[in-house]
Amino acid sequence: MPVPQRNNNTGNSARNNRREQSNKTQQTRVNDRIRAPRVRVVTAEGDQLGIMPTREALARAKDMGLDLVEVAPNADPPVCRLIDYGKFKYMLAKQQKNNKTKAVRMKEVKLRIGTDVNDYNVKMARTEQFLDHGHKVRFQLRFRGRENAHQQMGLEVMAKVVEDMRTMARVDQPAKLVGNTVGMVLAPLPANQRVKKFKKYEEEGFDAEDEAFDAEDED
């Protein structure tokens, strides 16, 4: 009578998936390995140099004695940073080690339909700092009085936040209207993919770890 054969496909498949995932997380395109024809270039300090052909970006990096490192491959166009790749890998490893010891908290940012441009920019700068510390951020927008007749505008504000934070975060909980409040939660991208857009609006002395900015009831 034939001896039944064990099916090892499941185990092999799981190992292969883990190996493939590991390879994906380790792959960072640098210099000539960057495939996109055009990229958005930022400096090591986060200053944006704009969108340009990849060849031009590579030439700039070479002239500066730096590397062109793709830090947000899923953006359109991909975001690349002008940095020393060796130092980048060292700092990334150090940051990942530090993040393991930090408790991830839920921070909260409150918005209004009528939030003025400067106030919005400051709130987005705070959001980037929260995310850069590895925390999730919950947004709340509450309608008051006549604003309840224009609730779609609240969802549009949340959509703008998602677009503005696309190089820093992913949507953890999509915008949802409950009663007179729209809520949404963003979670940080991996550290090596984060690129700040609102750095120039950061407040001097602002502490992203301050418990005063924690959400009142964490999910």
Side-chain angles (χ1 to χ4, degrees):
M1 185 175 190
V3 178
Q5 298 295 314
R6 288 185 177 181
N7 187 352
N8 292 322
N9 290 340
T10 301
N12 291 336
S13 177
R15 283 193 295 272
N16 290 337
N17 288 339
R18 286 195 297 269
R19 190 178 299 113
E20 288 177 7
Q21 186 63 33
S22 176
N23 290 337
K24 287 180 182 178
T25 56
Q26 292 174 6
Q27 280 185 347
T28 298
R29 296 192 181 100
V30 182
N31 297 328
D32 294 331
R33 294 185 179 181
I34 298 172
R35 301 172 184 172
R38 294 169 64 81
V39 294
R40 185 183 299 276
V41 182
V42 296
T43 67
E45 293 75 28
D47 298 325
Q48 299 209 25
L49 302 183
I51 298 172
M52 63 185 72
T54 303
R55 288 185 179 180
E56 181 181 339
L58 285 168
R60 287 202 183 195
K62 186 175 181 180
D63 289 343
M64 298 169 67
L66 299 172
D67 298 296
L68 187 68
V69 181
E70 190 179 61
V71 295
N74 295 325
D76 184 21
V79 178
C80 294
R81 197 187 294 268
L82 295 171
I83 46 177
D84 182 315
Y85 185 53
K87 290 182 179 179
F88 171 76
K89 289 195 295 183
Y90 170 78
M91 293 303 296
L92 179 60
K94 185 177 179 181
Q95 188 173 30
Q96 289 175 337
K97 182 179 179 180
N98 290 339
N99 284 344
K100 288 181 181 179
T101 63
K102 290 182 180 179
V104 176
R105 304 206 298 272
M106 181 77 76
K107 297 294 183 174
E108 187 167 81
V109 174
K110 294 182 179 180
L111 299 169
R112 292 283 306 277
I113 289 180
T115 300
D116 65 59
V117 175
N118 186 66
D119 189 28
Y120 175 85
N121 290 339
V122 170
K123 288 178 183 290
M124 291 304 101
R126 288 183 177 182
T127 298
E128 288 182 336
Q129 290 172 284
F130 294 145
L131 294 165
D132 209 30
H133 280 70
H135 301 310
K136 292 185 177 183
V137 183
R138 183 173 69 193
F139 293 86
Q140 284 199 338
L141 188 153
R142 184 166 297 171
F143 302 103
R144 299 179 181 178
R146 296 181 180 179
E147 292 176 352
N148 282 283
H150 305 283
Q151 293 184 345
Q152 181 59 34
M153 294 177 66
L155 296 174
E156 291 172 0
V157 171
M158 293 299 185
K160 175 174 172 55
V161 171
V162 172
E163 178 62 25
D164 284 337
M165 291 294 107
R166 65 185 300 177
T167 61
M168 287 294 297
R170 59 176 178 80
V171 176
D172 189 60
Q173 294 178 21
K176 184 178 180 181
L177 177 63
V178 179
N180 67 338
T181 303
V182 177
M184 177 178 72
V185 176
L186 297 184
L189 291 174
N192 65 325
Q193 295 182 18
R194 300 174 199 158
V195 178
K196 291 182 178 180
K197 179 179 176 182
F198 294 85
K199 186 177 178 63
K200 65 180 179 180
Y201 298 103
E202 290 181 2
E203 303 157 286
E204 186 176 353
F206 178 76
D207 183 7
E209 295 292 340
D210 192 333
E211 294 182 1
F213 299 100
D214 287 1
E216 293 180 3
D217 52 338
E218 297 188 10
D219 292 336

